[in-house]
Amino acid sequence: MAGLQQVLLIAGFGDWLPGWQPWPYLLIAAPAWLLARPRWSRSGVPPAWLRGVDRLRRVPVRVLVLGVLALAAGVWAVLQDHEPHLGHEEAVYANKARSWLDGTPDAGWGAYRPVGLPALGRLALALHDDTGALRVVALVLALFTLTTTYLVAAAWTTPRRAVVAMLLILSGLGFLRRVPEFLNDIGATGLLLLVVFLLVRAQEKPDSHALLAVPFVVLAAFYLRYGVVGNLVAVGLAALLAYGPRAWTRLGRRVAVAAAVLLMGLIPHLVHASKVTGSPLGMIFSATKQANRLFVGDGLLYYLAIFPYRLAGDLGAVVMAAGLFATGVVLRRLLRSRRADGQTLRMEERRRVFLGTTALLVFVILGVATDGEPRFVYLSVVLLTVLGVQSLAELAGRWAAPALAVVAAFAAVTVLGTAQVVAHGAMPGPDRLSDSTVPVARRLSSSGPCLLVTGYEPEVGWYSGCDAVTFAQYRRMHVPEGTEVSLLLFERGRLQPGKAGLQELIGGRETLVRTIPTSGSVGAATVITLR
């Protein structure tokens, strides 16, 4: 049923499913697979399966890795046609990148935004000044994170199991939904994975200099996305729990040097934050305040509600559940090891404690600190997937190779099915909005100084080339002389003033009123240009 469902999705019949959302058949069937384990674990692997696995083993791992990366690039290219316009978050970073390039206004930018992604965008726009160049940055970041996933997973498991982990990550709706977009979450995840890898290596290879590389990777992740602070707190707490404080004090000199380098790298940010917000931590706290949460902890409830299916899809959910199971097993061993008669954990077991508790703590810390979104917890998804692949291999025993081969094949098919879900189920919402905002913004572009006041300021700013602010911001700002000001309202727009508020904004000035019909979800636009 699960396979047939993916075939139907690929063939374009996903509208038979509510919201193009596949049913979790595999997640439901997983307990049956475990209950039947005593039977199939004693039976021999069919010769045909073994021959198929032997053929796969003849394919070099490097070719498999390149195949997964090519699949990711192909899906990225196809999805561009289904979401050709920049969304709200993308446009914010795009405006800043273009502002650094040619001095145009950075509509929608806030002090709490990190500078790393606009810096990459500025380089891309210098090569080719259009939306496509920014989306190429998104592709590069996605390929970087998938490659990092392979390298890290290969070091912790085996190269072929690492390829399976790559495919599973790519097949998940939570991940693939953001692959086409100019955002920083996927790239930051790759850097966070490197941090976790370096900390593991620092404990397992005490003579290595891995710890000295940690601050440079942390700084890159931080300047790419300030939100990694919560992830880094989770990583730090998990490292103390898994290895114990003494294991880190034994590396005292390297820990001190790494901390000093990290502090030096943060000084520019801390100084800037103090000037802008009055506090060295002002930008980080400001970013937290932007969360669209109803109450403290609603993000955690969201993650509990969608775990693991909505994060990783049907197949990925089974593997993540196996990773969670593996985490529970090693945590129990850790607790037993701390008793007087307990056995000391092996390094591999401590690594699993570290990876698993990091994944769980990320859910808890980010779930309490901010609102819930799948893209915020990619690190947890990757770590539990890697643990899950290893756990499934161990549970399968002599069936490990053919079982993982089937998982990999099904994951490759699922990537194509998930791409259809993204294209037809997840993307039309933002695209219907852009059918209103983009054509109007392009109509309002001007060669002279212009300011558009709207509830959709980042998108309108990018496609018009004008500065753009919200109605609330306009009330507080001083408009430079000679700037053409237009109030942009939509039939079903957000954050728009009523009649009295609109008259207050106009302030008795002469106006030119135009109506621009659109096919988008927020309806026609009314443009009030102040004279």
Side-chain angles (χ1 to χ4, degrees), residues 168-192:
L168 286 167
I169 295 299
L170 182 61
S171 70
L173 175 61
F175 184 86
L176 193 57
R177 170 67 182 91
R178 301 301 176 183
V179 165
E181 296 184 334
F182 180 60
L183 296 173
N184 51 18
D185 307 273
I186 290 179
T189 301
L191 294 169
L192 288 169

Side-chain angles (χ1 to χ4, degrees), residues 212 215-216 219 256-266:
L212 300 180
F216 298 101
L219 288 170
V257 172
V261 173
L262 179 60
L263 180 60
M264 290 177 61
L266 288 174

Side-chain angles (χ1 to χ4, degrees), residues 265-490:
L266 288 174
I267 286 176
H269 169 80
L270 298 175
V271 171
H272 179 63
S274 297
K275 290 181 178 179
V276 173
T277 67
S279 168
L281 301 178
M283 286 187 177
I284 296 174
F285 290 141
S286 176
T288 302
K289 292 177 182 177
Q290 304 303 314
N292 296 317
R293 60 186 181 187
L294 300 176
F295 53 88
V296 175
D298 73 340
L300 181 58
L301 292 178
Y302 172 80
Y303 292 132
L304 289 173
I306 68 170
F307 182 89
Y309 174 58
R310 292 297 296 274
L311 290 170
D314 192 11
L315 179 60
V318 174
V319 179
M320 281 186 68
L324 187 63
F325 170 78
T327 300
V329 170
V330 292
L331 279 174
R332 188 164 62 248
R333 290 177 187 169
L334 176 66
L335 294 176
R336 289 176 180 173
S337 71
R338 292 184 174 177
R339 299 174 184 172
D341 58 345
Q343 295 181 345
T344 303
L345 261 67
R346 294 178 288 111
M347 265 299 176
E348 182 182 350
E349 291 176 315
R350 291 193 177 275
R351 181 205 305 157
R352 294 189 185 189
V353 172
F354 178 36
L355 303 184
T357 51
T358 295
L360 296 178
L361 286 171
V362 166
F363 283 121
V364 174
I365 292 173
L366 294 185
V368 171
T370 184
D371 56 324
E373 278 200 46
R375 62 192 178 100
F376 295 163
V377 292
Y378 285 154
L379 179 63
S380 295
V381 174
V382 174
L383 294 179
L384 288 179
T385 299
V386 173
L387 286 172
V389 169
Q390 185 70 4
S391 179
L392 287 177
E394 293 169 357
L395 286 170
R398 70 180 72 179
W399 287 76
L404 289 182
V406 170
V407 169
F410 198 89
V413 173
T414 303
V415 170
L416 303 179
T418 304
Q420 289 282 58
V421 173
V422 172
H424 300 286
M427 283 183 166
D431 220 25
R432 285 196 296 269
L433 171 63
S434 67
D435 287 340
S436 287
T437 56
V438 173
V440 174
R442 285 173 172 164
R443 284 271 300 269
L444 298 178
S445 61
S446 173
S447 58
C450 50
L451 173 67
L452 302 178
V453 186
T454 176
Y456 305 93
E457 70 281 8
E459 307 97 303
V460 169
W462 172 259
Y463 286 103
S464 68
C466 300
D467 195 3
V469 296
T470 65
F471 290 94
Q473 290 170 332
Y474 179 67
R475 288 187 176 93
R476 301 190 301 266
M477 71 179 297
H478 172 72
V479 180
E481 202 166 320
T483 301
E484 182 179 79
V485 179
S486 295
L487 311 180
L488 174 58
L489 303 97
F490 290 93

Side-chain angles (χ1 to χ4, degrees), residues 49 60 124-125 159 206 235 262 427 497:
W49 287 41
L125 292 176
V235 169
L262 179 60
M427 283 183 166

Side-chain angles (χ1 to χ4, degrees), residues 56-134:
L56 277 176
R57 282 175 174 165
R58 293 172 192 165
V59 180
V61 174
R62 187 174 301 177
V63 173
L64 297 176
V65 173
L66 291 176
V68 177
L69 296 179
L71 178 61
V75 170
W76 168 89
V78 169
L79 291 179
Q80 294 303 313
D81 292 334
H82 292 275
E83 193 170 34
H85 302 125
L86 295 181
H88 178 89
E89 290 287 316
E90 292 181 281
V92 171
Y93 294 109
N95 286 331
K96 191 64 174 178
R98 189 171 62 185
S99 174
W100 284 342
L101 178 67
D102 57 18
T104 52
D106 53 357
W109 185 257
Y112 60 91
R113 301 278 185 180
V115 296
L117 189 62
L120 296 175
R122 191 252 182 256
L123 296 175
L125 292 176
L127 297 175
H128 201 275
D129 189 7
D130 68 355
T131 299
L134 298 175

